Amino acid sequence: MIVVMKPGASPAQIEHVFDKVKEMGYQVHPIYGEQRTVVACVGDERGKSRLQALEMIDGVESVVPILKPYKLAGTDWKREPTTITLKELKPGDPPLVIGAGSFVVMAGPCSVEGEEQILRSAEQVKQAGARILRGGAYKPRSSPYSFQGLEEEGLKLLARARERTGLYVITEVVTPSDIDLVAAYADILQIGARNMQNFALLKEVGKVHKPILLKRGMASTLKDLLLSAEYIMSQGNYDVILCERGIRTFEDYTRNTCDISAVPALHELSHLPVIVDPSHGTGVRSLVIPIAKAAVAAGADGLIVEVHPKPEEAFSDGAQSLEPGQFIELMAWVRKLVQLEGRSL
Ligand code: PEP
Ligand code: MN
């Protein structure tokens, strides 16, 4: 349910509503708008009709149900697009804003493989215009015999690359017990497709004060994805970025089928930023630039792209990784398309 406060409701009246909602066993998620405060009350769906009685309280204008199952990720609670701000890395540098008109590119290798590889990758993607460095230190591989990542050593190398280049760092976390360690090094935590419905992991990253990139599971609907975002948000972390990274279909020419329609659909259903991963979305290097262009045109708020100094030598996902020169070409396209739409890069 959403409690809509009257314009000009006093802080004491708002506080009183919070107390009542909590007494009934529901969580309080307020948005303080310019005109009025809107309070989402979420919790056990059974018995939520009791919240209707809040309409009698001073300062309350109305109590309305949220019809969608994803209460905080949907547009009933919040209509304006969410922006996520990464604070400046060095005093005086500009912060980085994700969502609502600005376009962000995250790029780098699938895995952190060693110091030279990650530093060279970081310099190359920075030179081409990326703002965020990607690289896995903990890899959720389909086979237990595939490279599993450098773990903490990989995190340290990512931090060194950030220091060297001024790029922010995004990296995946696969286990609740690693969250604090990964959050100590990363600016954004990635939840991979295979873990999109690892609810224990989602709840734990919901308690972290870092943005979360949530990748769509390979057999998940948009509703599933938004419900997974809800798991994170219900713990108080509202900084969630949704990522379309391709789903499994009967088509086997590509590794996955990149669902471009997910971008405008998610923008209709949710206020959260939406980015596209054309690398896992296709699995084929030659298809990455065309799908990246389609993502921009479809209104994506950004891209996450795999780029490797020598893709043929990559420990993972070489076949879908761009060569540095191809990434320069991709960025030139992105710049043109984003400008055409009056957005900023
Ligand atoms: C990755 O980003 O390298 C990755 C493993 O992605 P996904 O979870 O989308 O497969
Ligand atoms: Mn990968």
Side-chain angles (χ1 to χ4, degrees):
M1 298 287 242
I2 291 179
V3 178
V4 183
M5 301 300 297
K6 287 184 178 151
S10 69
Q13 287 173 330
I14 296 171
E15 208 50 52
H16 183 57
V17 167
F18 290 2
D19 290 344
K20 287 285 168 205
V21 173
K22 287 181 199 159
E23 259 173 51
M24 289 189 221
Y26 289 86
Q27 288 174 15
V28 160
H29 296 271
I31 296 181
Y32 301 97
E34 275 183 17
Q35 294 294 321
R36 61 182 93 228
T37 299
V38 176
V39 190
C41 314
V42 301
D44 195 331
E45 285 286 276
R46 299 163 297 173
K48 65 175 185 214
S49 55
R50 287 185 303 139
L51 290 161
Q52 203 68 49
L54 295 168
E55 234 159 18
M56 303 300 176
I57 295 182
D58 283 349
V60 173
E61 185 169 279
S62 58
V63 179
V64 288
I66 305 178
L67 299 174
K68 296 271 170 38
Y70 34 87
K71 312 289 177 195
L72 303 173
T75 51
D76 285 341
W77 177 58
K78 186 167 187 279
R79 269 185 204 97
E80 311 74 47
T82 285
T83 55
I84 295 170
T85 304
L86 302 181
K87 64 175 190 312
E88 73 271 14
L89 290 175
K90 294 207 176 78
D93 281 358
L96 178 63
V97 178
I98 301 173
S102 60
F103 194 89
V104 69
V105 180
M106 314 177 182
C110 179
S111 307
V112 181
E113 299 167 5
E115 180 162 19
E116 203 199 318
Q117 175 252 14
I118 196 65
L119 292 182
R120 185 174 303 174
S121 301
E123 274 154 16
Q124 287 169 339
V125 301
K126 161 89 184 187
Q127 189 72 27
R131 295 292 309 276
I132 302 178
L133 175 66
R134 64 145 292 146
Y138 296 84
K139 296 304 300 175
R141 305 303 300 280
S142 297
S143 162
Y145 308 119
S146 300
F147 177 60
Q148 303 285 312
L150 296 181
E151 304 187 343
E152 189 171 2
E153 178 55 21
L155 298 175
K156 288 185 178 155
L157 293 176
L158 285 167
R160 201 165 303 159
R162 170 175 51 212
E163 189 58 37
R164 181 82 63 95
T165 59
L167 290 168
Y168 294 91
V169 163
I170 177 169
T171 195
E172 179 162 355
V173 60
V174 296
T175 313
S177 57
D178 291 335
I179 292 174
D180 288 344
L181 183 68
V182 176
Y185 290 97
D187 301 294
I188 304 177
L189 271 58
Q190 175 175 324
I191 299 291
R194 290 159 192 79
N195 273 318
M196 191 207 82
Q197 286 189 315
N198 180 340
F199 300 120
L201 184 63
L202 298 178
K203 281 192 214 168
E204 289 307 310
V205 294
K207 296 173 190 156
V208 168
H209 298 287
K210 290 271 165 101
I212 309 298
L213 177 86
L214 178 63
K215 292 187 132 195
R216 180 180 183 180
M218 51 192 92
S220 300
T221 63
L222 298 184
K223 181 176 161 188
D224 293 334
L225 173 62
L226 290 168
L227 282 170
S228 290
E230 191 76 16
Y231 264 95
I232 300 170
M233 297 174 79
S234 65
Q235 300 300 311
N237 187 351
Y238 305 138
D239 285 349
V240 178
I241 305 162
L242 305 171
C243 179
E244 165 60 41
R245 49 76 73 205
I247 49 175
R248 286 276 161 86
T249 66
F250 53 80
E251 182 53 68
D252 63 0
Y253 180 69
T254 46
R255 180 178 176 188
N256 293 295
T257 297
C258 192
D259 179 8
I260 289 293
S261 68
V263 176
L266 287 168
H267 277 147
E268 281 176 12
L269 297 170
S270 175
H271 50 87
L272 296 171
V274 181
I275 73 161
V276 171
D277 175 346
S279 310
H280 296 86
T282 60
V284 183
R285 185 177 309 129
S286 62
L287 304 181
V288 171
I289 293 179
I291 294 306
K293 287 159 71 179
V296 184
D301 298 290
L303 294 170
I304 182 164
V305 187
E306 288 185 339
V307 185
H308 195 286
K310 289 190 186 144
E312 65 287 359
E313 291 175 15
F315 290 7
S316 57
D317 287 350
Q320 66 193 34
S321 298
L322 295 182
E323 291 163 4
Q326 293 176 305
F327 183 63
I328 293 173
E329 188 191 332
L330 179 147
M331 288 303 291
W333 273 113
V334 168
R335 222 168 269 120
K336 269 191 232 166
L337 293 171
V338 162
Q339 251 171 28
L340 195 68
E341 294 174 342
R343 300 201 275 163
S344 61
L345 182 67

